[in-house]
Amino acid sequence: MRKVICVLVLAVMAVVSWPGISWSSSWYIIKDSGNEGIKYYKDKNGGYSPNNWGNTATSSTLSSLINGSSVLPDDNVYVQGGVYLLGQSITINKTIKLYGGFSGTEASSQDREISANPSVLNGQNANKIFYINGGSALIDGFTIKDGKPIKSGTADNGAGIYIESGNPEIINCTISGCNGGKGGGLYVQGGSTVIRNITITNNSAIYGGGIYILGGSLTATNCAITGNSSTQNGGGIYATGNGIMTATNSTIADNSATSKGGGIYSEARNIELISFTITCNTANDGGGIYMNSGSTAAISCTIISNTASNSGYEIYNRGTIDLSASIIFNSKAENSVYNRANASATLTACAIPEGLSLTSDIYLPMSWNPVSLNEISAGVTHTVYRPESSSELSLLRANESYYSLFPKTDQLGNTRTKYTLGAIDSLWDGSGKNDTPYIISTPKALNLLSSLVNAGRDYSGEYFCLSCDIAYTTENYAAIG
């Protein structure tokens, strides 16, 4: 009887997570000589210790180590900077955490500088980089490039990352130079995927040069989808089936599709865009967005300067689209939005150009001029619009109920000013913080500030910088107070 009790106690100890005790292991990986070689060290105590980088001695390859049975659920894998050439895809079906961007001298895992020590996973134009079919993996701090899976002689889907199922989180990564049939950079078939601080750039596919969403859900935050291309539809994103996407504080720019949807092609169940910029994308129809069916909601978005050789420079709509607190603009006003018969387009508190045959609450006066702001997201240049006179501001003051539609912060994370539309709060350059104050550099900008203060706007705790002398005689000023 005593032996049975002892066995039961040991069994319970093996499965219970005791406070203060880690049952996971940590793996330290460095590049070794040869195309695919690595050296690694396993610390059974878990956690991070800088001393372990010097213990890496066992030889393997990165894909065979992670794909095998040695790396267990809940293990941490730390990868030193370097180019890791993959002879096969990395398959993940368990809950593990992969961290890249280490020099090997960091005192803690939080000290890494990813950009200075890139951990590059290179598919050598022969393999997809990641295949995920289960678990809740974290992939943090990698450059994923040159994936090109071949199946039956043609390009397979998901050249960078293929997600069949699971709940992966992919953060602080760049996906580039990947080529697939559907989803050059990322293919989402099922599960619940989160991407954050991701750049998906210069990928290509037949459908969905950057991202292809078939099912499951994709949540994107602070992402840049740029310079991708498709030979059919969806240069940046192709969404279809039961796929659901929510994207916040992100940018789709400079993507191209030979046929439809330079930025986004959608026939998915539901897409929601919040504080989102879609600009400088090109297609035959729907330069910015092509809505074939399904539903899209855009809140505080900027959709401008896209190009279509046929119809719908900014939006081509055959489904249901609901836009609020957004800016839609193209110099060819009459062709900015093409709304097919039986399609539904609802605009609330949106600024659209005069001459566009849609009903909106606010029309951009022809005096509005574009202002270019650099480094909005991942170095992309965007064109945004700002009101520059009291008369233009009055358009936005007309109905206070509009402002409940606005997110509290803009695409850059700055507190949103009351009287602005679109993805970026663009009344002034700067963020209003102590180290990055709002810049007042023109008579119009100064007069705008006085108009807002007199209208009741409270700037307590925010900072302004008068960057140059201003000739007050060139503008009729309203005194503050």
Side-chain angles (χ1 to χ4, degrees), residues 148-162:
K148 189 176 181 180
I150 304 298
K151 184 177 182 181
S152 301
T154 61
D156 198 8
N157 301 333
I161 302 176
Y162 186 117

Side-chain angles (χ1 to χ4, degrees), residues 95-211:
T95 299
I96 61 174
K97 297 179 180 179
L98 306 177
Y99 299 94
F102 290 91
S103 67
T105 61
E106 292 86 355
S108 74
S109 58
Q110 287 74 36
D111 293 337
R112 62 182 174 148
E113 295 184 17
I114 297 171
S115 59
N117 305 289
S119 297
V120 181
L121 308 181
N122 191 313
Q124 304 185 79
N125 289 313
N127 307 284
K128 64 184 66 179
I129 311 303
F130 285 103
Y131 174 71
I132 300 173
N133 63 343
S136 300
L138 172 66
I139 301 171
D140 180 353
F142 291 91
T143 296
I144 298 164
K145 67 176 297 185
D146 294 347
K148 189 176 181 180
I150 304 298
K151 184 177 182 181
S152 301
T154 61
D156 198 8
N157 301 333
I161 302 176
Y162 186 117
I163 300 170
E164 181 177 311
S165 61
N167 304 298
E169 184 176 7
I170 304 158
I171 64 176
N172 304 320
C173 290
T174 296
I175 305 174
S176 67
C178 297
N179 176 259
K182 297 176 181 178
L186 175 65
Y187 181 93
V188 180
Q189 178 177 321
S192 179
T193 300
V194 173
I195 60 176
R196 180 163 45 89
N197 299 334
I198 296 292
T199 298
I200 299 176
T201 186
N202 296 326
N203 303 284
S204 59
I206 301 172
Y207 299 96
I211 298 174

Side-chain angles (χ1 to χ4, degrees), residues 257-274:
T258 301
S259 184
K260 302 170 183 175
I264 298 173
Y265 176 94
S266 180
E267 53 190 21
R269 186 172 62 178
N270 186 45
I271 289 180
E272 185 175 43
L273 310 174
I274 304 170

